[in-house]
Amino acid sequence: MNYYKGKNVNIGNDVKIGFGVIIEDDVTIENNVIIDSYTKICNNVYIKKNTYIGSNCIIGEIGINYHTNHQRKKTIIGEKSLIRSYTVIYSENILGDFFETGHRVTIRERSNIACNVRIGTLCDIQGDCEIGEYTRLHSNVHIGKLSNIGKYVWIFPYVILTNDPTPPSDNLKGVTVEDYSVIATGSTILPGITIATNAFVGANTLVSKNVLKGTVVVGNPQVNIGSIEKLNKNGINTYPWMYSFDKGMPWQGIEFDMWMKNNKNN
Amino acid sequence: MNYYKGKNVNIGNDVKIGFGVIIEDDVTIENNVIIDSYTKICNNVYIKKNTYIGSNCIIGEIGINYHTNHQRKKTIIGEKSLIRSYTVIYSENILGDFFETGHRVTIRERSNIACNVRIGTLCDIQGDCEIGEYTRLHSNVHIGKLSNIGKYVWIFPYVILTNDPTPPSDNLKGVTVEDYSVIATGSTILPGITIATNAFVGANTLVSKNVLKGTVVVGNPQVNIGSIEKLNKNGINTYPWMYSFDKGMPWQGIEFDMWMKNNKNN
Amino acid sequence: MNYYKGKNVNIGNDVKIGFGVIIEDDVTIENNVIIDSYTKICNNVYIKKNTYIGSNCIIGEIGINYHTNHQRKKTIIGEKSLIRSYTVIYSENILGDFFETGHRVTIRERSNIACNVRIGTLCDIQGDCEIGEYTRLHSNVHIGKLSNIGKYVWIFPYVILTNDPTPPSDNLKGVTVEDYSVIATGSTILPGITIATNAFVGANTLVSKNVLKGTVVVGNPQVNIGSIEKLNKNGINTYPWMYSFDKGMPWQGIEFDMWMKNNKNN
């Protein structure tokens, strides 16, 4: 296949590079990577082994500044990642191993995304964010700048994390979402809010007050309807979800409590 | 123009193929089709006659599995279809004649979409769905897996059909939307809900209970405000909409009742 | 770099054209323009000087009609514009100087967009719209056909301007948003509504009644909570926003009142 290759490009063994791919200068691609057609790998990108990057992606984007900006840090894509077509990942992002995106994901500059994170189709991560391991964002989630999202968090379609208390302004305050929390479809989280550990935000909620640990909020205006266990029906212990769902989680096949005991820092 | 062509590719008469198009193996393109620049037609796709596919599309996508997956079924694009730029259609989709998309539409695997369906810009169809004939989805509609949408249904921008009653889980229950129903802008439909024939869901409704045939629901929480005829104002019979709107519908130019009488299965 | 160039193409000095760019017939590109890889500049487009167009864009799109339609007017991109990757701008759009888009923006036919306008990632402008100078649309804003948006307006993510009072129909009525107004995240504006000068629409509002000059509305159903000054807290005069925020505005560094006095037509 024909593709374009710049200077100082290091390509490992068993790498497959599709038709029309552009690889700019100072790029490293480890072993057994696949890069599909018409994708562009920009300057100073490092792609770890066993990763697949779909068609028409841009990895390490710097846009208009690319002729002048030479000081920026590396962009790193973790190993065994799966990046679907039309995704744009800006420069200076550090993405952990087993990273996965849907189609048309946009990730702006300077975010740290831990291992085993999935970000769904059409998500828009505005940059300067932290996302903890095993967190899942479903389709079309908007994460404002300065958001801080913990580990094992689930965010469902069309959720918006805002960041400007007095729009328009430059006094941004990011949202904090702590570990194990769930935010259901269509909810909007106002600037500076903290959603504490193991909380649940119902569908279409406008979250204007902090959400306490292990509680459920719904509605607009927001109402606290009690502890997470109140969501359980017919005597089935669905919540906290970690006890009823383990697919792809590190406690898969063992009990959550057992896994917790063995992993002090979770 | 230069383009790439794989093995066992059958191309009909008067087919125009744009610059940089990639056609993989085992593809059939019938007469008078246009495929615009940089679009990729993947393995085992069949494109019927008189269809136009815009630039930068991916038809028959299978992503990471494309080197190993050889058992999957055909992807079929019906005749006289119009697929706009940046659309991704996965493998194993069967799309009827006169199919139309806006830009950046994503359609995951194994959906059956009948003839004369339109799907607007940025829609995200998550796969394993049924969509009946003449149904229209406006921009940025999210259709969760296992949704079942009837014929002559209208779904407006930013409507979300969810499917997980206890997120996160794998116990998905799709939404059912029956024939002739209308879902206005910004509404969210909770998992497993049925919206019966000829119902109307007002803008920004959170639909948490089944919607009865020929009724109108609005608000969060959802309120039933009566029969569809209550939407008529100033003595003008706008609803049911089939009596006031026929553009592009099979009863265009004849009366809806007359057409119904002549078509027992509508 | 290799690219494709049609007939009657005029290219100025110091223009940089990326790999795989397609430039169709009757195109003018002024001095010092950069066009990045795989972008398509369609027939009859005029790009003014010092503009940057990112990768994988389509400028002057006419889709299926491109073989037959020769009467359409020019598409004009103003000088010093910045158009990010995957943006589609249809033919017959007139875009002012200093125009800026995020990624994956879609702008349909026949809109007039004044100078210094910014349109965020994933916005969908449906065509036949007016947008006044210095107006900013954040990510994922949907602007229905026939919308009329004034100057110095701020529209935040996932706001929807609708246009069909009796869906489905062809009797469209656009929304009007007057100068200096702010529409916060996730609000939906119903068809034909006017949001008067210097108004503020809170997050997640369903705007079903006209919004008066200098007032604040919130909620669903919509409630008027008083004049814009009521948003000020702790004795800080944040609103009207023109007195507290001037970044990128023509009154930057001078007082808003002073600037107003010197500019009768603002």
Side-chain angles (χ1 to χ4, degrees):
Chain A
M1 292 276 197
N2 285 320
Y3 68 94
Y4 172 87
K5 193 171 92 169
K7 297 170 197 164
N8 191 25
V9 171
N10 302 299
I11 297 185
N13 299 320
D14 297 316
V15 169
K16 291 175 187 144
I17 298 181
F19 193 82
V21 166
I22 297 173
I23 301 177
E24 295 185 349
D25 303 342
D26 304 313
V27 167
T28 297
I29 300 174
E30 292 189 352
N31 296 340
N32 202 30
V33 164
I34 302 173
I35 300 176
D36 219 330
S37 53
Y38 297 120
T39 279
K40 180 161 66 165
I41 310 296
C42 301
N43 290 343
N44 213 16
V45 168
Y46 192 107
I47 300 173
K48 294 194 180 169
K49 62 186 176 186
N50 300 314
T51 279
Y52 169 78
I53 300 179
S55 297
N56 304 306
C57 292
I58 302 175
I59 309 296
E61 165 89 284
I62 47 172
I64 184 63
N65 300 313
Y66 81 99
H67 292 88
T68 56
N69 186 333
H70 298 293
Q71 287 88 350
R72 70 208 154 76
K73 298 178 203 156
K74 266 197 164 33
T75 306
I76 301 174
I77 311 291
E79 62 180 81
K80 290 208 176 171
S81 292
L82 166 49
I83 295 176
R84 291 194 174 82
S85 55
Y86 307 95
T87 289
V88 177
I89 296 173
Y90 269 67
S91 68
E92 304 200 9
N93 276 297
I94 310 296
L95 308 176
D97 297 341
F98 301 93
F99 179 65
E100 183 174 334
T101 76
H103 304 275
R104 318 177 201 287
V105 169
T106 308
I107 304 179
R108 298 297 301 255
E109 301 88 342
R110 292 179 305 278
S111 287
N112 284 302
I113 299 183
C115 67
N116 283 286
V117 168
R118 292 190 194 160
I119 297 184
T121 292
L122 289 169
C123 281
D124 178 9
I125 315 291
Q126 297 258 304
D128 295 303
C129 295
E130 301 285 324
I131 302 181
E133 60 188 41
Y134 289 90
T135 283
R136 266 74 161 129
L137 276 54
H138 209 288
S139 295
N140 215 323
V141 169
H142 179 93
I143 304 293
K145 264 190 184 185
L146 303 179
S147 297
N148 194 330
I149 303 174
K151 298 179 283 188
Y152 310 99
V153 168
W154 295 82
I155 303 185
F156 286 90
Y158 292 73
V159 165
I160 307 168
L161 272 55
T162 67
N163 60 14
D164 186 354
T166 56
S169 86
D170 278 333
N171 307 316
L172 303 185
K173 290 187 183 178
V175 164
T176 299
V177 184
E178 295 184 357
D179 303 348
Y180 304 107
S181 284
V182 176
I183 307 178
T185 299
S187 290
T188 298
I189 319 300
L190 292 184
I193 290 288
T194 293
I195 296 175
T197 305
N198 188 28
F200 189 100
V201 175
N204 278 24
T205 302
L206 178 62
V207 180
S208 55
K209 293 174 285 189
N210 289 338
V211 179
L212 303 177
K213 185 176 170 179
T215 63
V216 181
V217 299
V218 299
N220 174 12
Q222 169 188 350
V223 177
N224 180 335
I225 61 167
S227 79
I228 186 88
E229 287 81 6
K230 285 213 173 165
L231 293 176
N232 294 325
K233 287 172 188 167
N234 308 322
I236 303 171
N237 288 324
T238 308
Y239 295 97
W241 65 268
M242 301 80 78
Y243 293 93
S244 64
F245 185 83
D246 64 6
K247 188 178 162 186
M249 296 292 135
W251 58 87
Q252 190 169 357
I254 50 176
E255 280 208 357
F256 179 68
D257 283 339
M258 182 67 74
W259 173 78
M260 282 289 276
K261 208 169 14 177
N262 297 335
N263 293 270
K264 290 179 188 168
N265 61 343
N266 292 297
Chain B
M1 292 275 195
N2 285 319
Y3 68 94
Y4 171 86
K5 193 172 91 170
K7 297 169 196 163
N8 191 23
V9 172
N10 302 299
I11 297 185
N13 299 320
D14 297 317
V15 169
K16 291 175 187 146
I17 297 180
F19 193 81
V21 166
I22 297 173
I23 302 177
E24 296 185 347
D25 303 341
D26 305 312
V27 167
T28 298
I29 300 174
E30 291 190 351
N31 296 339
N32 201 30
V33 164
I34 301 173
I35 300 175
D36 219 330
S37 53
Y38 297 121
T39 279
K40 180 161 65 165
I41 310 296
C42 301
N43 290 344
N44 213 14
V45 168
Y46 193 108
I47 301 173
K48 294 194 179 170
K49 62 186 176 185
N50 300 313
T51 278
Y52 169 79
I53 299 178
S55 296
N56 305 307
C57 292
I58 302 176
I59 309 297
E61 165 90 283
I62 47 171
I64 183 62
N65 299 312
Y66 82 97
H67 292 87
T68 56
N69 185 333
H70 298 295
Q71 288 88 349
R72 69 208 155 75
K73 299 178 203 155
K74 267 199 162 35
T75 306
I76 301 174
I77 312 291
E79 62 180 81
K80 290 208 175 173
S81 291
L82 165 51
I83 294 175
R84 290 194 174 83
S85 54
Y86 307 94
T87 289
V88 177
I89 296 173
Y90 269 67
S91 68
E92 305 201 8
N93 277 296
I94 310 296
L95 308 176
D97 298 341
F98 301 94
F99 179 65
E100 185 174 332
T101 76
H103 304 275
R104 315 177 204 287
V105 169
T106 307
I107 305 179
R108 298 296 300 256
E109 302 89 340
R110 292 179 305 278
S111 287
N112 284 302
I113 300 184
C115 68
N116 283 286
V117 168
R118 291 189 194 160
I119 297 183
T121 291
L122 288 169
C123 282
D124 178 7
I125 314 292
Q126 298 257 306
D128 295 304
C129 295
E130 302 284 325
I131 303 182
E133 61 188 44
Y134 289 91
T135 283
R136 267 72 161 130
L137 276 55
H138 211 287
S139 294
N140 216 323
V141 170
H142 178 90
I143 304 292
K145 264 190 184 185
L146 302 178
S147 296
N148 194 329
I149 304 175
K151 299 179 282 188
Y152 311 100
V153 167
W154 294 82
I155 303 185
F156 287 91
Y158 293 72
V159 166
I160 308 169
L161 272 55
T162 67
N163 59 14
D164 186 354
T166 57
S169 87
D170 278 334
N171 307 315
L172 304 184
K173 290 187 182 177
V175 164
T176 299
V177 184
E178 295 185 355
D179 304 347
Y180 305 108
S181 285
V182 177
I183 307 177
T185 298
S187 290
T188 298
I189 319 300
L190 293 183
I193 290 289
T194 294
I195 296 175
T197 305
N198 188 29
F200 188 100
V201 175
N204 278 25
T205 302
L206 178 62
V207 180
S208 54
K209 292 174 286 189
N210 289 337
V211 180
L212 303 177
K213 185 176 170 180
T215 65
V216 181
V217 298
V218 300
N220 174 11
Q222 168 188 348
V223 177
N224 180 333
I225 61 169
S227 78
I228 187 87
E229 286 80 7
K230 284 214 174 165
L231 293 175
N232 294 325
K233 286 171 188 167
N234 308 322
I236 302 172
N237 289 323
T238 307
Y239 295 98
W241 66 267
M242 301 79 81
Y243 293 92
S244 64
F245 185 82
D246 63 6
K247 188 177 161 188
M249 296 292 136
W251 58 88
Q252 189 168 357
I254 51 176
E255 280 208 357
F256 178 69
D257 283 340
M258 182 66 76
W259 173 78
M260 282 290 275
K261 208 169 18 177
N262 296 336
N263 292 271
K264 289 178 189 170
N265 62 343
N266 292 297
Chain C
M1 291 276 196
N2 285 320
Y3 68 94
Y4 172 86
K5 194 172 91 168
K7 297 171 198 164
N8 191 24
V9 172
N10 302 299
I11 297 184
N13 299 320
D14 297 317
V15 169
K16 291 173 189 144
I17 297 181
F19 193 81
V21 165
I22 297 173
I23 302 177
E24 295 185 347
D25 304 341
D26 304 312
V27 167
T28 297
I29 300 173
E30 290 189 352
N31 296 340
N32 202 30
V33 164
I34 301 173
I35 300 175
D36 220 328
S37 53
Y38 298 120
T39 279
K40 180 161 66 165
I41 311 296
C42 302
N43 290 344
N44 213 15
V45 168
Y46 193 108
I47 300 172
K48 294 193 180 171
K49 63 186 175 185
N50 300 314
T51 279
Y52 169 78
I53 300 178
S55 296
N56 304 307
C57 293
I58 303 175
I59 310 296
E61 164 90 284
I62 45 171
I64 183 62
N65 300 313
Y66 81 99
H67 293 88
T68 56
N69 186 332
H70 298 293
Q71 287 89 350
R72 70 208 154 74
K73 298 178 203 157
K74 266 197 164 35
T75 306
I76 300 174
I77 311 291
E79 63 180 80
K80 291 206 177 175
S81 292
L82 165 49
I83 295 175
R84 291 195 175 83
S85 55
Y86 307 94
T87 289
V88 177
I89 297 173
Y90 269 68
S91 68
E92 305 201 9
N93 276 297
I94 309 296
L95 308 176
D97 297 342
F98 301 93
F99 179 65
E100 184 174 333
T101 76
H103 304 276
R104 316 176 203 287
V105 169
T106 308
I107 304 179
R108 298 297 301 256
E109 303 88 341
R110 292 178 305 278
S111 287
N112 284 301
I113 299 183
C115 68
N116 284 286
V117 169
R118 291 190 194 161
I119 297 183
T121 291
L122 288 169
C123 282
D124 178 9
I125 315 292
Q126 297 259 305
D128 295 304
C129 295
E130 302 285 324
I131 302 181
E133 62 188 40
Y134 290 90
T135 283
R136 267 76 160 125
L137 276 56
H138 209 287
S139 294
N140 215 323
V141 170
H142 179 91
I143 304 293
K145 264 191 184 185
L146 303 178
S147 295
N148 194 329
I149 303 173
K151 298 179 283 189
Y152 311 100
V153 168
W154 295 81
I155 302 185
F156 287 90
Y158 292 72
V159 165
I160 308 168
L161 271 55
T162 67
N163 60 14
D164 186 355
T166 55
S169 86
D170 278 334
N171 307 314
L172 303 184
K173 290 187 183 178
V175 164
T176 299
V177 184
E178 295 185 356
D179 304 348
Y180 304 107
S181 285
V182 176
I183 307 177
T185 298
S187 290
T188 299
I189 320 301
L190 293 184
I193 290 289
T194 293
I195 296 174
T197 305
N198 189 28
F200 188 100
V201 175
N204 278 24
T205 303
L206 178 63
V207 180
S208 55
K209 293 175 284 188
N210 289 338
V211 180
L212 301 178
K213 185 176 171 179
T215 64
V216 180
V217 298
V218 299
N220 173 14
Q222 168 188 349
V223 177
N224 180 334
I225 61 168
S227 79
I228 187 87
E229 287 80 5
K230 285 213 174 165
L231 294 176
N232 294 325
K233 288 171 187 165
N234 308 321
I236 303 171
N237 289 323
T238 309
Y239 295 98
W241 66 268
M242 301 80 76
Y243 293 92
S244 64
F245 185 83
D246 63 7
K247 187 177 161 188
M249 296 292 136
W251 58 89
Q252 190 169 357
I254 52 177
E255 280 207 357
F256 179 69
D257 282 339
M258 183 66 76
W259 173 78
M260 281 291 275
K261 206 168 22 177
N262 296 338
N263 293 271
K264 288 179 188 168
N265 62 343
N266 292 295

